[in-house]
Amino acid sequence: MAKSDTKSEAARSPRNPRKTSSASGPARRPASAKTETPYHHGALREALLQAAERVLERDGLSGLTLRAVAREAGVSHAAPTHHFGDLTGLVSELAAIGFRQFNAAMVAACDTATTPLSRALARPKAYVAYAQAHPGMYGLMFRTERLDYSRPSLNEAAESSFAGLANAVGAMRQEQISGNALTIEQGAAIARAWSMVHGFTMLLLDGRLEDILERLPAGTTAEQLLEAILKSTVAAKLSA
């Protein structure tokens, strides 16, 4: 009797409409939902930094925001915050990449130099060339007020850049220079070399050298002008 009643009850009960709906296939994503770019575990941070560099070079530092980077990378707006904390964290890590690229470019240029003069000219010429190729990144690297130098990656990369400069100046002076303890003469030599190349670079990026270049023989380039400046200060030291 119990079995008969159970079967009758089952026959009278309507089917669950939700089960019928789900059986027809998986629920479709709303057409308005934004499709995000999938990344393998660990690759999102690198993708965000690459996106940040593209935004920086295209839109400048003023256009570099967390939302702009997320949009460029095709991920949620929360992703940059999760990986870098805030905009300062993001731009600091980006500047660290810039310093590493910058340092590598100068090392590579020095490695290919074959004479004392070409070696002395290689580093400053690579310095200017990097800034021309990556003006946004170069500008960010020297915006100290926007960066957090307590972050290990940025501190290490910036220190490596300074060490390279100090070593280059030491080689010109034919002495070993320790970056941690400088004499006044060593500090003056480093500041003089840096001021000359950095000043030239900023004038070049700002278009302020055009007036001088227009007055020079036709076809004279900014690189040739830089080389002439460097030779006038370097050649005498090499022959001393």
Side-chain angles (χ1 to χ4, degrees):
M1 186 67 177
K3 291 181 179 181
S4 176
D5 291 344
T6 302
K7 289 181 179 180
S8 297
E9 184 65 27
R12 289 195 299 270
S13 300
R15 292 183 180 180
N16 188 330
R18 292 186 179 181
K19 290 184 178 180
T20 300
S21 174
S22 62
S24 63
R28 293 184 178 180
R29 199 175 191 180
S32 60
K34 181 180 178 181
T35 301
E36 295 181 0
T37 304
Y39 290 99
H40 294 294
H41 178 70
L44 179 54
R45 186 179 187 277
E46 180 64 24
L48 287 167
L49 288 169
Q50 291 174 357
E53 184 172 359
R54 292 194 298 272
V55 172
L56 175 63
E57 296 297 348
R58 184 185 65 229
D59 303 329
L61 186 55
S62 62
L64 184 61
T65 66
L66 294 179
R67 292 178 71 87
V69 171
R71 190 163 52 245
E72 180 74 18
V75 297
S76 72
H77 292 155
T81 302
H82 174 73
H83 284 275
F84 304 104
D86 55 15
L87 184 58
T88 296
L90 173 63
V91 297
S92 297
E93 293 300 323
L94 186 60
I97 291 175
F99 272 112
R100 288 195 290 269
Q101 295 173 346
F102 185 57
N103 297 339
M106 289 186 285
V107 169
C110 292
D111 286 345
T112 59
T114 56
T115 66
L117 178 59
S118 64
R119 193 172 299 111
L121 301 181
R123 185 179 181 87
K125 289 171 70 172
Y127 184 114
V128 176
Y130 178 85
Q132 285 182 285
H134 309 276
M137 186 73 92
Y138 180 81
L140 173 63
M141 287 157 51
F142 296 102
R143 290 295 298 272
T144 306
E145 78 281 4
R146 297 293 301 272
L147 306 177
D148 178 9
Y149 277 88
S150 69
R151 298 180 78 94
S153 56
L154 176 57
N155 184 268
E156 180 181 347
E159 283 295 316
S160 179
S161 182
F162 182 81
L165 172 60
N167 290 337
V169 172
M172 291 296 301
R173 291 169 57 88
Q174 298 182 342
E175 64 179 329
Q176 186 70 31
I177 293 182
S178 170
N180 296 324
L182 302 173
T183 66
I184 186 64
E185 291 80 9
Q186 292 171 339
I190 291 172
R192 181 170 55 250
W194 190 11
S195 297
M196 181 179 66
V197 180
H198 183 71
F200 181 92
T201 301
M202 295 307 299
L203 289 172
L204 178 62
L205 294 180
D206 290 343
R208 302 300 297 273
L209 293 178
E210 292 301 322
D211 185 57
I212 294 177
L213 290 170
E214 289 173 358
R215 299 166 189 263
L216 297 176
T220 302
T221 65
E223 183 178 5
Q224 290 173 322
L225 177 60
L226 172 65
E227 187 168 323
I229 295 171
L230 295 171
K231 284 182 176 179
S232 67
T233 58
V234 169
K237 294 182 180 179
L238 290 176
S239 61

